[in-house]
Amino acid sequence: PPLSLQPGSAPVRREGAPSAPFWHPSPLPPLAQRGLASRSAMPSAAGATLKRTKTAQPGLPMISESGETTASEDAEEGSAADTTELDSDGRPREVAQFEAPAEQKRWLRAYTRLSKTISLASDVPISEQVRVVTAHLERTGCRKYNQASGTHEMFPLTTSPSTLGKYGVGVQLYFEFLLSMALLFLMLFLVSMPMMVYNSAGTLIEDFPTTSDASRHYKLISYFTLGNVGSCPVGTCGTREALRERLLQRGDPTKVMDIAWIFGFVDALALVLFMSFAAVFHFWWVPRTIAAQDDKNVTAADYAVSVTGLPRLLPAGKHASYAALLQHHFTKLLRDAGVEEENPVKEISLVRNFDGALAEFIYQGHLLHDVHNWELNRTKALDAERYDDAKWFDTKVKRLKQRVVAMENSLEKHISMSDGHRQVCQAFVMFNRESQKNLILRRYQRSGSILRRLLFQPRDL
């Protein structure tokens, strides 16, 4: 289908990123951290020598003194892994965790990925990690740098919204909207003051027995509403006509009907002010702020466009050169428009379709963490001779391992697939100059919908 372009932002993911998704596990509980502190970084499962050995954590691979990966099962012989289970009497016994060698290999591969990420985090003390993270947040957060003290400080309350525009036009518009709403409601309060004065001067709440016996909180709220306007002594407002002809105040010949137009005018004026504010802010203030913020701050969106409507797969032999072909296409369009620069397209980033693999990798990581925790709890329960608890923990470990192995089967194709073979969903194209981006946008100005692209967009686009 024809392409569709929109002014874009910075690319989400670069084409040259590793093909296998990388996930960052959440911190383990203290008990799990102590159990894994002495574990070294795991080599890849490919080419590792598997040996039968007794492990402190049954069913988990370890590193032998020679640097070889050891596990509780000899994969080549297909024998069962050594793990601890309880018999009918609640005593520990050795059972088979995985019947098939292929399942043990998948479990070892998934566990090896987790061990690598854990070792990267465990090499640095927790206090040092907290210090680095805190410094990063202070450096990249909404703070200003104090050159005298060399620290990042919070912005004072007197900071103008335009100063915060460097963090994005949305941040600036948010604070400007709050300030404008505060001024608007202050204006509406002043406009409504005459109505509140007339309402509070009335005695209608006290004149009727059904409301005069109400609580003080109820009366305090009602005094400033239209339900209290006017005066109607007991016995004088027995009919609907008498209630409509009631006096504004006791001893004052002015009737409520004589000033009713003031209430209507004030209410209409408040409504007009509110609607005018909404129209001005939406149609004038927001575009003006966006334009001013764009001129003041340089971002990737000034030079990039978002390209949709791309073919997901190219013919055989061309899909691996997707980015080069797309770069050639936009370079040719700029050449035809009179741009003589040698390489006007600075960078192209393709958004690939991982078919849910990233979410599955993250979820598998959570499952592997749960396996660690439950195995540590099982070992602790066995040490304390709480065999009923250990048996329940062992059941949880078995079920979690089965789910990890099942997910590993579905992830095998994604692990072996490179970026060059994945489908393309979208692309971000960045040009050397903003004028070049505007030229491309003008060429694709009729690409707003599928119908307009099919009917009006030239074939070469």
Side-chain angles (χ1 to χ4, degrees), residues 5-9 11 299-307 326-335 339 341 343-348 427-441 444:
L5 270 72
Q6 297 177 355
S9 59
T299 61
D302 296 334
Y303 305 93
V305 294
S306 172
V307 186
L326 195 60
Q327 181 178 6
H328 174 74
H329 169 74
F330 285 108
T331 302
K332 182 178 181 300
L333 292 179
L334 292 174
R335 290 279 190 272
V339 176
E341 191 171 347
N343 296 313
V345 179
K346 179 67 176 179
E347 181 182 2
I348 291 183
F428 292 94
V429 182
M430 185 171 294
F431 302 92
N432 287 328
R433 305 179 186 279
E434 188 175 5
S435 59
Q436 298 167 356
K437 181 200 77 169
N438 295 331
L439 279 175
I440 295 297
L441 289 177
Y444 283 92

Side-chain angles (χ1 to χ4, degrees), residues 27-28 31 34 51 62 76 102 105-106 124 126 128 130 140 142 173 179 236 247 288 290 297 337 343 381-382 397:
L28 289 173
L31 181 61
R34 291 198 299 271
K51 294 183 179 180
M62 297 183 66
E76 296 179 358
K105 289 181 179 179
R106 297 188 186 101
V124 182
I126 297 297
E128 181 64 17
V130 172
T140 59
C142 295
L173 286 173
L179 180 60
T236 60
L247 300 177
R288 169 182 171 273
I290 292 176
N297 302 283
N343 296 313
L382 288 174
V397 170

Side-chain angles (χ1 to χ4, degrees), residues 232-453:
C232 193
V234 178
T236 60
C237 295
T239 62
R240 185 182 298 275
E241 183 67 23
L243 183 62
R244 185 163 45 258
E245 296 290 336
R246 68 184 184 275
L247 300 177
L248 182 62
Q249 294 179 355
R250 293 183 181 181
D252 189 346
T254 306
K255 297 180 180 181
V256 174
M257 295 183 61
D258 296 338
I259 63 167
W261 67 272
I262 298 179
F263 291 86
F265 174 78
V266 171
D267 193 28
L269 179 60
L271 180 61
V272 169
L273 287 175
F274 185 83
M275 297 301 296
S276 300
F277 163 79
V280 170
F281 191 85
H282 179 74
F283 295 104
W284 180 74
W285 188 270
V286 171
R288 169 182 171 273
T289 303
I290 292 176
Q293 195 266 356
D294 182 66
D295 295 338
K296 184 178 180 181
N297 302 283
V298 178
T299 61
D302 296 334
Y303 305 93
V305 294
S306 172
V307 186
T308 58
L310 292 168
R312 287 182 170 261
L313 284 174
L314 295 180
K318 294 184 177 181
H319 193 75
S321 305
Y322 206 115
L325 294 174
L326 195 60
Q327 181 178 6
H328 174 74
H329 169 74
F330 285 108
T331 302
K332 182 178 181 300
L333 292 179
L334 292 174
R335 290 279 190 272
D336 297 340
V339 176
E340 299 180 357
E341 191 171 347
E342 183 178 357
N343 296 313
V345 179
K346 179 67 176 179
E347 181 182 2
I348 291 183
S349 296
L350 301 178
V351 181
R352 304 280 186 172
N353 181 20
F354 282 81
D355 198 20
L358 296 178
E360 290 185 9
F361 269 104
I362 294 174
Y363 182 64
Q364 189 189 56
H366 294 318
L367 293 179
L368 290 169
H369 276 289
D370 292 340
V371 170
H372 276 290
N373 294 335
W374 289 117
E375 285 186 331
L376 291 172
N377 290 333
R378 180 184 61 186
T379 303
K380 187 177 180 180
L382 288 174
D383 294 342
E385 297 184 354
R386 293 185 288 107
Y387 298 119
D388 291 339
D389 293 342
K391 188 174 183 179
W392 186 80
F393 293 148
D394 189 72
T395 303
K396 294 285 293 185
V397 170
K398 283 184 177 181
R399 293 177 179 175
L400 290 174
K401 284 186 176 181
Q402 291 173 358
R403 294 172 64 181
V404 170
V405 171
M407 293 188 67
E408 191 68 19
N409 295 337
S410 63
L411 290 173
E412 285 183 353
K413 65 175 183 179
H414 295 288
I415 297 175
S416 60
M417 184 183 298
S418 63
D419 278 354
H421 296 87
R422 298 185 186 277
Q423 296 183 359
V424 176
C425 306
Q426 191 179 1
F428 292 94
V429 182
M430 185 171 294
F431 302 92
N432 287 328
R433 305 179 186 279
E434 188 175 5
S435 59
Q436 298 167 356
K437 181 200 77 169
N438 295 331
L439 279 175
I440 295 297
L441 289 177
R442 283 196 293 269
R443 291 295 304 272
Y444 283 92
Q445 60 183 348
R446 296 180 177 179
S447 64
S449 64
I450 297 178
L451 182 61
R452 293 179 63 185
R453 292 200 296 269

Side-chain angles (χ1 to χ4, degrees), residues 77-209:
E77 299 178 0
S79 57
D82 295 330
T83 185
T84 303
E85 198 185 64
L86 305 178
D87 55 19
S88 58
D89 298 330
R91 299 298 178 183
R93 61 184 176 88
E94 300 294 328
V95 297
Q97 181 66 34
F98 294 109
E99 299 294 339
E103 292 185 356
Q104 179 68 13
K105 289 181 179 179
R106 297 188 186 101
W107 163 253
L108 180 61
R109 184 171 62 234
Y111 179 83
T112 301
R113 284 200 305 268
L114 176 69
S115 299
K116 288 182 178 180
T117 56
I118 291 175
S119 64
L120 292 176
S122 60
D123 292 341
V124 182
I126 297 297
S127 59
E128 181 64 17
Q129 296 183 38
V130 172
R131 187 192 66 80
V132 172
V133 171
T134 303
H136 174 75
L137 290 177
E138 291 182 353
R139 184 172 63 255
T140 59
C142 295
R143 294 170 178 262
K144 66 175 183 178
Y145 182 72
N146 190 336
Q147 295 183 354
S149 60
T151 58
H152 294 80
E153 301 175 351
M154 298 183 65
F155 285 96
L157 294 177
T158 56
T159 304
S160 62
S162 60
T163 305
L164 303 176
K166 64 179 180 179
Y167 299 107
V169 67
V171 177
Q172 179 179 346
L173 286 173
Y174 170 74
F175 287 102
E176 289 180 347
F177 178 76
L178 291 181
L179 180 60
S180 302
M181 289 294 291
L183 297 177
L184 173 65
F185 280 106
L186 176 61
M187 187 181 303
L188 294 179
F189 171 76
L190 297 177
V191 170
S192 303
M193 281 295 294
M195 293 180 58
M196 298 178 64
V197 171
Y198 280 119
N199 294 339
S200 61
T203 60
L204 204 61
I205 298 296
E206 300 290 348
D207 292 340
F208 283 87

